[in-house]
Amino acid sequence: MQQQMDLLADLTTPQREAVTFQDGPMLVLAGPGSGKTRVITHRIAYLISQGVKPGNILAITFTNKAAQEMRQRVQALSAPPGSTICTFHSLAARLLREFADRAGLARDFSIYDEADQKSALRQVLKLCEMDSQNYPPRRVLTHISKWKNKFITPELLNPDELDFFDNRVALIYKAYQGYLHSNVALDFDDLLMRLALLLRDDQEFRDQLNSRYRYILVDEYQDTNSCQYQIARGLALNHSNLVVTGDPDQSIYGWRGADIGNILAFEEDYPQAYIVRLEENFRSTPEVLTLADQIIKANYRRKDKQLFTVKSSGPPCELVEYYDEKEEAQGMVRWIQQCRHESLQYRDLAVFYRVNSMSRALEEALRRDRIPYQIVRGIEFFQRREIKDLLAYLRLLINPSDQVALRRIINQPTRGIGNTTVNRLFDHCQSTGLDIQLVLADPEQVATLKSTAKSRVKKFSELIRHLQEQADNSVSQIVQLVYEKSGLARFYDEEKNEDAVNNVNELCNSAALYENESPDPSLADYLQQIALISDTDAYDDQAGCVNLMTLHAAKGLEFPAVLIVGVEDGLIPHSRRDEGENDIEEERRLLFVGLTRAQEKLTLSYARNRMQQGSKKACIPSRFVRNIPSLVCHTSEYDYSFDDDSNDFSNLDSDDSSAQDWESNPDDDILSFNSLARGQLIRHPSLGVGRIQKLSLVRDNPKAEVQFRSGLRRTLYLKYAHLEPLDPRDD
DNA sequence: GGTCCAACATTTTTT
DNA sequence: ATGTTGGACC
């Protein structure tokens, strides 16, 4: 009883309603910073205190990080353990493994990430005799993914309703599924789709799960796709004890099939649903909230809500203009230093950007000033060549049919088994119907192979068999053994590839860590966990450093001070998404998510010029932040033209040389230079009239940055561009 | 069969 | 600007 009092002690009325709501469907509309996680964790603890068995509770989150945090917070409420708190994908992987026979799967299926999918698709295209020029793997995979996310299996596609290209992709889709099946592999989308299918078609399975999970909570419901929607529905079909929480304004995954309609239509799906609105914000200052509200209210597809905060006033939100991305990065450094003067710690600070590639310029500036930072980009490590190779060996031990893994490592390190040999091996499998492992073990039967190739293949097969015999060892021991016996260790050693060696060591550490933390460690489970790691999982709130991440990765986090860089048209909204109004609204929500991460201080910035794919582009501030009354806008007060690394000529006297001198001595750098100074009005033969913003030397070549009347801004080398100085009086 | 170089795509976001 | 892929050459 005492415990129950504590559980409800400092909750607001709507929070308490959500926590104590007993049976049936409920929708919790939770604005940013409204204590949503708190409600979920307290609800789990509350249900248990009411006699619900922990094992009957299932909470589904979107990221492993969120699941982990939720688990810790439930534990902190001294609730007994045993409830299931995981992501959709890990739930699916777990259940499909547990009920593999019902699902028509082998227990030890591989999970294919994007790279694996791509490699699989390339093979499929070859089998279908289609070329990757007309059917770019990436594009095809996106297409297939969209179908899968909509819960559309290949059989469901009607050729008559598809255009030519879609019909071809549908064929590839079918072949790709067949290929994955023969590889005993599922991709990310398959995990969800297969679970959704099983729930739909296998009543016994569904009933069993319905009684196992009696209370279901789905977080971030606004980001669910059709499969996830069907899973949630199917899991609660018999009891309808389904609580979903989310915020339509934070739906940012439409591009990967999430349907904001799922949350908007929850009340229609469950007419008896109880609805709770959490509108009180405990995170941000009124300044931050006002700005976020002014921006998001331009959206049409939303549920209007009245956000309010109890927090006291803070500094105004600012929008700062910079010349280019480099200066924006320097501006970031000064922003960080200023925050520190305001007695904030590094770990209190976060910098968000729209695309990963923008982190480069920021990183350089941070390194130069020795500011500690972490980039929230978790999968990067697991995509490194050496890590993927080692993992492919491990995968092959668990799932010998995994052709993608086999192709990856059969000649890594090089053992004289080239592409031709591999293709001949698989051709032989195809024509005889034999399993690849059998053929590898007995290459003599492959008539097309030369004897050298045969003996090499045989040797490789023996290596794999030898490694398979080590399966009794602990996970970390297996990792170590495979690393050494595969020849990778010697290979990197001889190559003096220190990075690779260090990274492999780190993988060994991760395996050891897994071993210690997992209640029931196994290699298969370890591989599954790794396969489902995401970027956002990398955020370490204990690290004492500035946090850099994409706007997407920022969801669910909060920081005392937030800087969002690159708030420009073309980035937010991104240029690839400014067709449909739905896309624009999602981009606006993405900015909204970023804004509402800030607790105290919120700064936005944009650059007038940005280097993209090797060329410089002129930029304008994002349409989302134009004419926003509560946003204080200013150009960076710092005059950059005086502290560039390159030489600066802006202080040279421009009066002792005339236009005639420039024209008569076009080859004389100094003289011609003197006629052109910063602020000088000029005419370019084709670009028209403009003003020089900055002069500098690049490897002894004088360079001018010119702002033209047309709005165009260009960097011009005086050597090539004939700039004619104009008298201001002609202006 | 392996290695090296050139052309090509690629960068929007991610489980 | 960078990483990947495919082709030419060894």
Side-chain angles (χ1 to χ4, degrees):
Chain A
M1 208 57 200
Q2 179 58 44
Q3 202 190 355
Q4 195 187 122
M5 294 287 287
D6 290 345
L7 279 176
L8 305 179
D10 9 83
L11 297 176
T12 63
T13 308
Q15 285 179 341
R16 190 172 303 138
E17 274 175 21
V19 167
T20 57
F21 175 80
Q22 203 77 55
D23 285 355
M26 172 167 68
L27 166 64
V28 181
L29 284 169
S34 61
K36 184 185 57 162
T37 309
R38 197 149 180 246
V39 164
I40 297 173
T41 52
H42 280 243
R43 179 170 167 78
I44 293 172
Y46 177 80
L47 287 173
I48 296 172
S49 79
Q50 294 295 296
V52 175
K53 290 197 191 101
N56 285 338
I57 298 173
L58 168 66
I60 306 175
T61 60
F62 238 72
T63 64
N64 297 302
K65 192 86 204 166
Q68 193 189 322
E69 192 198 336
M70 215 168 266
R71 240 172 275 141
Q72 280 166 359
R73 284 174 66 169
V74 171
Q75 200 184 357
L77 295 171
S78 37
S83 43
T84 306
I85 303 177
C86 62
T87 66
F88 269 109
H89 287 83
S90 63
L91 176 74
R94 230 182 279 177
L95 291 176
L96 290 174
R97 211 175 286 282
E98 183 183 342
F99 296 90
D101 45 341
R102 300 196 78 100
L105 282 165
R107 235 181 91 68
D108 290 319
F109 55 83
S110 300
I111 298 174
Y112 279 2
D113 68 11
E114 212 176 316
D116 300 323
Q117 291 180 58
K118 221 168 145 185
S119 144
L121 195 82
R122 284 188 183 285
Q123 295 302 324
V124 170
L125 287 174
K126 270 187 200 145
L127 292 172
C128 297
E129 293 179 327
M130 296 194 203
D131 60 312
S132 53
Q133 304 282 2
N134 289 322
Y135 301 95
R138 240 216 94 117
R139 204 176 140 203
V140 173
L141 281 169
T142 310
H143 222 90
I144 292 176
S145 177
K146 281 203 171 124
W147 279 329
K148 287 187 179 178
N149 285 328
K150 283 191 199 147
F151 204 18
I152 300 172
T153 52
E155 305 78 56
L156 249 52
L157 288 166
N158 181 358
D160 300 334
E161 290 168 8
L162 302 175
D163 62 25
F164 177 78
F165 183 77
D166 280 12
N167 258 312
R168 304 288 288 185
V169 178
L171 284 179
I172 301 172
Y173 180 17
K174 199 163 201 166
Y176 171 74
Q177 290 304 87
Y179 187 80
L180 290 198
H181 183 78
S182 65
N183 279 258
V184 191
L186 300 179
D187 63 23
F188 292 136
D189 301 323
D190 283 335
L191 290 172
L192 302 177
M193 196 169 71
R194 294 297 287 263
L195 176 58
L197 279 170
L198 200 57
L199 279 167
R200 189 191 68 189
D201 299 336
D202 187 336
Q203 196 195 329
E204 209 177 303
F205 169 75
R206 188 174 62 230
D207 288 344
Q208 198 178 335
L209 286 188
N210 268 257
S211 49
R212 180 190 293 181
Y213 302 124
R214 306 281 295 282
Y215 290 88
I216 300 180
L217 297 103
V218 180
D219 194 17
E220 311 280 15
Y221 192 67
Q222 77 281 352
D223 283 326
T224 50
N225 63 29
S226 289
C227 290
Q228 291 162 329
Y229 169 82
Q230 294 295 344
I231 291 170
R233 223 182 144 72
L235 285 172
L237 201 72
N238 297 346
H239 49 64
S240 287
N241 290 334
L242 175 63
V243 174
V244 304
T245 65
D247 177 5
D249 287 338
Q250 295 183 63
S251 166
I252 54 174
Y253 286 105
W255 51 272
R256 79 172 199 215
D259 185 359
I260 191 176
N262 289 344
I263 194 167
L264 293 175
F266 188 80
E267 296 158 77
E268 289 148 41
D269 284 340
Y270 298 92
Q272 74 279 34
Y274 189 67
I275 295 170
V276 177
R277 286 168 177 269
L278 303 178
E279 295 178 314
E280 182 171 358
N281 180 298
F282 302 95
R283 176 186 296 158
S284 309
T285 61
E287 284 77 7
V288 169
L289 220 52
T290 302
L291 175 65
D293 190 58
Q294 281 172 352
I295 287 176
I296 199 65
K297 74 182 177 194
N299 270 9
Y300 170 75
R301 228 185 152 199
R302 63 188 294 253
K303 282 176 188 275
D304 196 31
K305 53 180 168 332
Q306 218 48 60
L307 295 177
F308 62 100
T309 181
V310 287
K311 283 188 75 164
S312 50
S313 221
C317 303
E318 292 180 40
L319 174 67
V320 190
E321 179 192 89
Y322 293 100
Y323 171 66
D324 64 8
E325 78 280 350
K326 284 190 170 170
E327 289 172 354
E328 187 182 46
Q330 288 171 27
M332 167 193 69
V333 168
R334 284 197 308 281
W335 178 84
I336 291 168
Q337 285 156 350
Q338 198 190 333
C339 286
R340 297 206 81 210
H341 285 139
E342 293 159 8
S343 69
L344 290 166
Q345 306 285 311
Y346 283 132
R347 54 183 289 183
D348 297 332
L349 315 179
V351 181
F352 305 150
Y353 37 83
R354 178 64 177 83
V355 296
N356 275 309
S357 59
M358 290 168 68
S359 69
R360 178 155 288 172
L362 304 176
E363 268 184 278
E364 274 170 25
L366 288 166
R367 262 202 297 264
R368 195 165 40 228
D369 285 78
R370 295 173 198 285
I371 292 172
Y373 68 94
Q374 66 174 332
I375 293 201
V376 178
R377 210 190 286 167
I379 54 167
E380 205 185 26
F381 176 75
F382 293 97
Q383 283 171 344
R384 304 190 76 97
R385 240 261 217 51
E386 58 273 17
I387 300 300
K388 285 224 83 168
D389 287 346
L390 187 46
L391 289 175
Y393 274 98
L394 299 170
R395 251 165 57 184
L396 198 61
L397 299 186
I398 296 291
N399 174 12
S401 309
D402 190 335
Q403 199 181 131
V404 170
L406 176 64
R407 282 182 183 271
R408 189 174 180 102
I409 48 99
I410 194 164
N411 201 31
Q412 188 67 36
T414 47
R415 33 177 87 88
I417 306 176
N419 245 322
T420 340
T421 306
V422 175
N423 286 334
R424 282 173 185 163
L425 288 167
F426 279 110
D427 285 348
H428 184 78
C429 287
Q430 189 99 56
S431 51
T432 59
L434 286 173
D435 185 85
I436 182 67
Q437 293 299 326
L438 289 176
V439 177
L440 289 177
D442 176 27
E444 285 304 325
Q445 58 182 292
V446 188
T448 43
L449 286 187
K450 290 195 203 121
S451 64
T452 45
K454 284 176 184 169
S455 67
R456 285 164 176 170
V457 169
K458 184 99 184 88
K459 214 172 151 209
F460 172 74
S461 167
E462 273 157 13
L463 167 70
I464 295 299
R465 184 146 31 94
H466 176 69
L467 291 176
Q468 268 161 347
E469 282 160 10
Q470 312 294 321
D472 301 339
N473 287 290
S474 76
V475 176
S476 60
Q477 280 169 330
I478 298 175
V479 175
Q480 194 66 42
L481 270 166
V482 168
Y483 180 51
E484 276 157 23
K485 306 241 162 161
S486 64
L488 285 175
R490 190 150 45 107
F491 182 72
Y492 295 136
D493 200 47
E494 281 170 6
E495 217 183 44
K496 297 231 186 308
N497 189 342
E498 274 178 49
D499 278 352
V501 174
N502 289 337
N503 286 326
V504 170
N505 278 333
E506 213 176 305
L507 186 73
C508 293
N509 290 341
S510 112
L513 196 71
Y514 160 81
E515 235 163 61
N516 291 334
E517 284 183 353
S518 172
D520 184 20
S522 74
L523 183 56
D525 183 58
Y526 176 61
L527 290 177
Q528 177 186 306
Q529 277 202 19
I530 284 181
L532 296 177
I533 280 177
S534 73
D535 274 339
T536 38
D537 299 332
Y539 170 60
D540 176 6
D541 58 1
Q542 294 308 305
C545 43
V546 179
N547 303 284
L548 270 65
M549 67 194 84
T550 63
L551 283 162
H552 281 89
K555 191 171 77 162
L557 303 175
E558 60 181 10
F559 300 92
V562 165
L563 170 66
I564 305 179
V565 299
V567 186
E568 295 148 26
D569 262 15
L571 281 170
I572 321 176
H574 196 274
S575 51
R576 301 222 172 166
R577 301 199 62 180
D578 61 1
E579 290 122 39
E581 190 53 29
N582 280 346
D583 280 356
I584 293 290
E585 293 211 348
E586 181 160 308
E587 292 285 303
R588 195 181 274 111
R589 291 194 293 268
L590 184 57
L591 180 59
F592 177 78
V593 166
L595 300 170
T596 53
R597 303 306 96 198
Q599 294 171 311
E600 310 283 339
K601 178 173 173 144
L602 175 58
T603 310
L604 313 181
S605 72
Y606 68 95
R608 290 200 312 275
N609 301 281
R610 191 174 292 278
M611 204 67 146
Q612 271 166 336
Q613 289 147 232
S615 69
K616 201 170 197 169
K617 296 198 176 99
C619 307
I620 56 169
S622 165
R623 68 195 75 166
F624 298 154
V625 296
R626 284 179 232 152
N627 307 318
I628 297 292
S630 69
L631 196 56
V632 177
C633 306
H634 54 90
T635 302
S636 164
E637 62 288 346
Y638 206 75
D639 189 347
Y640 296 102
S641 51
F642 289 98
D643 69 350
D644 203 74
D645 318 328
S646 49
N647 292 324
D648 192 295
F649 294 87
S650 52
N651 53 350
L652 289 184
D653 186 2
S654 61
D655 284 336
D656 62 356
S657 163
S658 65
Q660 280 74 17
D661 285 337
W662 159 247
E663 278 167 7
S664 59
N665 299 302
D667 297 319
D668 188 328
D669 280 354
I670 298 303
L671 272 182
S672 53
F673 231 81
N674 284 344
S675 70
L676 294 169
R678 194 162 67 100
Q680 173 70 50
L681 210 60
I682 55 92
R683 187 198 306 282
H684 184 277
S686 56
L687 299 170
V689 177
R691 195 178 288 278
I692 294 180
Q693 303 292 313
K694 180 175 161 182
L695 279 169
S696 55
L697 274 187
V698 176
R699 257 168 286 138
D700 288 332
N701 275 326
K703 182 183 83 169
E705 274 156 5
V706 182
Q707 176 69 55
F708 288 96
R709 289 257 171 87
S710 60
L712 181 78
R713 199 179 169 106
R714 285 281 284 271
T715 302
L716 302 165
Y717 286 94
L718 299 186
K719 216 161 112 188
Y720 308 114
H722 293 283
L723 303 183
E724 173 195 353
L726 295 179
D727 190 322
R729 280 166 302 190
D730 301 342
D731 195 7

